[in-house]
Amino acid sequence: MKYKKIAAILTAATIFISTTTVAFAETPFTDIEKNWAKTHIISVNEKGLMNGTTSDKFSPDTAVNKYSAIISIARMMGIANMDLSEITAKHKELLDKYKVPDYAQKETAFCLEKGIIQGEIEMDKFGAQSQATKLDVCVYLGRAFGVQLDTSKPPVTLSYKDALAIPSMYKIYVDHMIKIGVVDSKGDAEGLFRPDTPVTRAMFAKMLDLS
């Protein structure tokens, strides 16, 4: 009887260790274990939409730059199975003019082609260190989903206290993100949307995962 109890304890311990090992193995980054967006980060990484900043770090609190955001959105739209050589060549002059880094050229060209980035007027705001704001991400994602401004319909009304800080032409994208659950219609604790707030990599992972 004594030996049976010992065997049972050892078996339970083995199962616990095995389960714990699997749980840790499912977390690809060492800096997200206690992060509020952990499940979203793991999800977008498994989908191939976002990579770590190193082999074992995600840097969840670091602001995402615009090129990184565009790359992830292009991946979400399925560019992995596309030949983008012609599109990249078509936009080469603009890509060179704004010194788009090599690692982001094909994705930027794709987003120019699809209207996610709208020509020079928006490319002028890009740069290697340009951080993507909350409004930027809503606009890029909204355009990726084909949301278009319809002037025949009443203008979109948002309930945020700082709604006036959101340009009228972009409110339709924010409204769409609210409808699909990517952003909260009530805003933060102060009722604000804060359109110019830089989006962290954790926040972007959530927005991308819910899109």
Side-chain angles (χ1 to χ4, degrees):
M1 188 69 176
K2 179 179 178 181
Y3 294 113
K4 287 183 179 179
K5 287 184 178 180
I6 293 173
I9 292 171
L10 289 174
T11 300
T14 301
I15 292 171
F16 173 78
I17 292 170
S18 299
T19 304
T20 304
T21 303
V22 170
F24 278 107
E26 292 176 350
T27 304
F29 307 109
T30 59
D31 57 351
I32 66 168
E33 189 59 38
K34 296 181 179 180
N35 191 275
W36 63 271
K38 176 183 174 181
T39 56
H40 297 298
I41 292 169
I42 292 173
S43 178
V44 294
N45 178 252
E46 289 178 345
K47 292 174 184 175
L49 303 181
M50 291 184 75
N51 300 323
T53 51
T54 66
S55 60
D56 64 345
K57 302 285 185 184
F58 187 79
S59 305
D61 298 322
T62 300
V64 66
N65 70 44
K66 290 186 178 183
Y67 286 123
S68 295
I70 286 300
I71 288 170
S72 292
I73 291 170
R75 289 175 178 173
M76 181 185 73
M77 296 179 72
I79 64 162
N81 301 316
M82 300 180 191
D83 181 357
L84 299 177
S85 55
E86 288 188 13
I87 291 176
T88 304
K90 176 181 175 180
H91 295 282
K92 187 64 175 172
E93 184 177 343
L94 194 59
L95 298 174
D96 290 343
K97 178 178 179 179
Y98 289 99
K99 300 179 180 179
V100 177
D102 290 342
Y103 72 84
Q105 288 217 351
K106 66 179 183 179
E107 292 87 354
T108 303
F110 173 81
C111 288
L112 283 165
E113 185 73 12
K114 295 297 182 181
I116 296 167
I117 305 171
Q118 297 192 346
E120 294 199 45
I121 193 169
E122 292 186 357
M123 280 304 304
D124 191 44
K125 300 174 184 178
F126 273 68
Q129 303 303 319
S130 297
Q131 297 175 338
T133 66
K134 189 175 181 181
L135 182 59
D136 287 331
V137 174
C138 286
V139 171
Y140 299 152
L141 285 172
R143 288 173 179 168
F145 284 114
V147 176
Q148 296 182 337
L149 181 64
D150 186 347
T151 55
S152 68
K153 294 183 178 180
V156 170
T157 301
L158 300 174
S159 60
Y160 303 116
K161 291 180 180 179
D162 58 349
L164 290 176
I166 305 171
S168 296
M169 70 181 77
Y170 296 148
K171 287 182 179 179
I172 190 170
Y173 303 115
V174 177
D175 184 56
H176 184 72
M177 292 299 106
I178 291 170
K179 289 177 179 176
I180 64 174
V182 173
V183 296
D184 192 331
S185 63
K186 297 178 181 179
D188 60 17
E190 297 177 25
L192 301 172
F193 179 74
R194 303 185 191 277
D196 298 324
T197 299
V199 173
T200 64
R201 285 171 55 79
M203 189 185 303
F204 182 60
K206 177 188 174 182
M207 295 176 78
L208 198 63
D209 193 33
L210 294 178
S211 295

